[in-house]
Amino acid sequence: MNYYRVVKKEKSNKEVGKMARYRRKPIVIEAVKITRTITIETAEGSMVGRPGDYLITDTNGEQYPCNAETFEKTYERVKDGKDITTFIKRALRKAKRKSKELFVKTQG
């Protein structure tokens, strides 16, 4: 682990405290894999995206290309509505099964 040390001439090297750790804020972006070379005009100037890179649209609506390796290290796919549908179907099947078990117990 890295520690931040403050050195003062009159004192020995003494650990003052542990350096704080930071995590990138979780933001959701939209992206598509680029299939041909494109040039995008951004606030920072022209940026070139190559086949295999990703074209990102951030939360402000700004677009820029991102190297595929960097993109795949930085972002993970957000589960879409199909996953919610699967969750609801499973929950309903479980509720149906439990209610059936309860009904059988009360009848027996």
Side-chain angles (χ1 to χ4, degrees):
M1 239 182 229
N2 295 332
Y3 292 94
Y4 182 70
R5 295 176 185 264
V6 175
V7 179
K8 294 185 179 179
K9 289 182 180 176
E10 66 272 1
K11 294 184 179 180
S12 65
N13 292 349
K14 183 177 179 184
E15 185 174 286
V16 174
K18 198 172 175 182
M19 195 174 260
R21 294 172 40 177
Y22 293 87
R23 177 179 298 141
R24 187 177 288 206
K25 289 182 181 180
I27 59 166
V28 177
I29 53 104
E30 292 179 340
V32 64
K33 202 164 207 174
I34 300 170
T35 58
R36 59 186 174 88
T37 301
I38 61 170
T39 302
I40 300 286
E41 294 299 324
T42 69
E44 290 82 28
S46 295
M47 297 182 78
V48 177
R50 308 218 184 288
D53 290 350
Y54 288 83
L55 177 63
I56 294 175
T57 304
D58 67 15
T59 55
N60 299 324
E62 295 176 27
Q63 291 186 316
Y64 53 92
C66 181
N67 174 285
E69 185 178 331
T70 302
F71 182 87
E72 289 161 3
K73 285 181 182 177
T74 307
Y75 298 98
E76 64 182 357
R77 185 163 183 155
V78 174
K79 295 180 180 179
D80 56 14
K82 292 178 185 174
D83 295 315
I84 293 170
T85 303
T86 302
F87 172 78
I88 291 170
K89 285 179 181 178
R90 283 184 190 158
L92 289 172
R93 279 195 299 262
K94 186 175 181 180
K96 183 178 177 182
R97 189 173 56 249
K98 290 288 184 184
S99 64
K100 196 182 258 186
E101 289 172 6
L102 223 99
F103 179 74
V104 170
K105 283 183 181 180
T106 58
Q107 296 298 316

